[in-house]
Amino acid sequence: MTHRYPIDPSLRHIALPMPFFPELAPAANVFLKTAFDLTPRLPGVLHRVISGPPFDIHVFEPEAGTDRSLLYFHGGAFFYKAAPYHRQLAQLYAREARCRVYMPDYRSGAYPLPFLDAMTAWKRVLADGSLPAGFAGDSAGAALAIMLANVVKPAFLMLVYPVTDPFMQSDSMKQFTDTPLWNARNNRILWNAFLKGQNPSEFDPLHHPVPVCTYVEIAEFDCLRDEGRDYARKVAALGAPVTINATRGTFHGYDMAVHSPAAQKNLRKRVSFLNRAFEEESSK
């Protein structure tokens, strides 16, 4: 396939148009759940489930044990369940950062349901005997991580191509209307479906930055690129240490190709950040 954008060669096989229809999410989620459950276990990582109601929480941890823990919210535009690659990422973080990763299977839908589930997940993780040092999330999951961090302040945040701005006024939002997997048109549908006419300023992570050690990863050809960078700058202006990883030749959701050289390069950077953040927290 010929691409308008200079996509990294290792990602071109997944650089496809992906329309977003929230009304079709329930049917898609049946497939996603089956695919998620069939995702192979990563060697060296254990898996268990904290069963609901109201939702399950998947727990991935290194076989050798650990006293580190991370609360990770998967992406999916607030309406889709976790995909197989989210499970692969959670397992990788568990093994390479030697931490227990709690991954809530939060309920999809309009605000406030996903956020209320994020709060419930936090309480249930505490009941499991862990106090997560950090929150992580990708895309809409990163928005949930920021929202939760405004209520329960963690030691650090790891945000991958985060959704932060319902007003959608950035240059990249105006520029990238036809990028692979996600684009500005999809993003407008997301916010309209998520907010359902409610005041956007009440659900605006960009203008509620959390002053903690933060990693922000942005994709070069992503409508969300500039708002992710803007969020990082706001955190830095508050005096907190910030790492910005501006990936090249990438697009939103590029790490779906988990084993590609492009994804592997940036996964190593995420793991490096997690290890540093855990070490700094334990030294306090």
Side-chain angles (χ1 to χ4, degrees):
M1 175 179 286
T2 301
H3 298 283
R4 174 182 173 185
Y5 304 99
I7 301 296
D8 185 289
S10 70
L11 302 173
R12 288 176 185 164
H13 65 293
I14 64 164
L16 304 170
M18 187 74 69
F20 175 51
F21 301 105
E23 62 273 17
L24 299 182
N29 285 337
V30 174
F31 167 78
L32 285 171
K33 184 181 186 309
T34 300
F36 182 93
D37 291 341
L38 292 175
T39 304
R41 183 176 73 89
L42 190 68
V45 177
L46 301 176
H47 172 241
R48 62 185 171 91
V49 177
I50 303 174
S51 298
F55 55 87
D56 293 344
I57 299 177
H58 294 272
V59 186
F60 303 96
E61 52 194 320
E63 289 181 346
T66 183
D67 59 357
R68 299 174 169 183
S69 62
L70 177 74
L71 182 53
Y72 165 55
F73 297 98
H74 68 81
F78 299 118
F79 287 88
Y80 286 108
K81 292 292 187 183
Y85 83 96
H86 291 123
R87 181 166 181 158
Q88 291 176 299
L89 294 177
Q91 292 185 103
L92 183 102
Y93 300 153
R95 186 176 72 179
E96 301 302 320
R98 306 184 306 281
C99 65
R100 183 178 299 109
V101 178
Y102 290 91
M103 182 180 176
D105 183 25
Y106 60 88
R107 291 171 292 179
S108 56
Y111 188 90
L113 185 61
F115 173 63
L116 295 178
D117 279 1
M119 288 290 298
T120 299
W122 164 257
K123 296 173 184 177
R124 292 175 64 195
V125 168
L126 293 181
D128 192 56
S130 289
L131 177 62
F135 303 159
D138 38 64
S139 192
L144 292 177
I146 296 169
M147 291 177 186
L148 179 61
N150 270 281
V151 179
V152 182
K153 189 176 179 181
F156 64 86
L157 285 167
M158 185 174 79
L159 310 172
V160 177
Y161 38 75
V163 172
T164 66
D165 185 10
F167 297 99
M168 298 179 53
Q169 295 301 307
S170 71
D171 288 341
S172 63
M173 192 63 66
K174 297 171 184 175
Q175 178 182 2
F176 296 131
T177 60
D178 61 350
T179 39
L181 297 188
W182 195 252
N183 56 52
R185 286 176 287 189
N186 286 347
N187 208 67
R188 187 168 301 281
I189 295 170
L190 174 155
W191 280 116
N192 287 339
F194 185 62
L195 294 177
K196 286 193 170 181
Q198 299 180 78
N199 182 2
S201 64
E202 295 182 18
F203 326 104
D204 185 359
L206 180 60
H207 295 103
H208 296 85
V210 183
V212 298
C213 178
T214 301
Y215 171 99
V216 177
E217 181 175 305
I218 54 178
E220 184 174 9
F221 306 113
D222 181 6
C223 62
L224 299 171
R225 182 193 65 199
D226 291 354
E227 63 191 64
R229 181 184 290 119
D230 289 346
Y231 179 85
R233 289 171 174 167
K234 286 177 178 287
V235 173
L238 295 174
V242 175
T243 298
I244 303 178
N245 179 17
T247 64
R248 303 301 301 272
T250 54
F251 47 89
H252 194 86
Y254 79 92
D255 47 349
M256 185 183 301
V258 175
H259 300 293
S260 67
Q264 286 291 308
K265 173 183 176 181
N266 292 304
L267 288 172
R268 286 192 291 271
K269 293 183 179 182
R270 296 180 201 175
V271 168
S272 177
F273 168 80
L274 288 174
N275 277 311
R276 290 197 312 270
F278 279 122
E279 288 166 5
E280 289 173 6
E281 179 62 15
S282 66
S283 67
K284 293 180 180 178

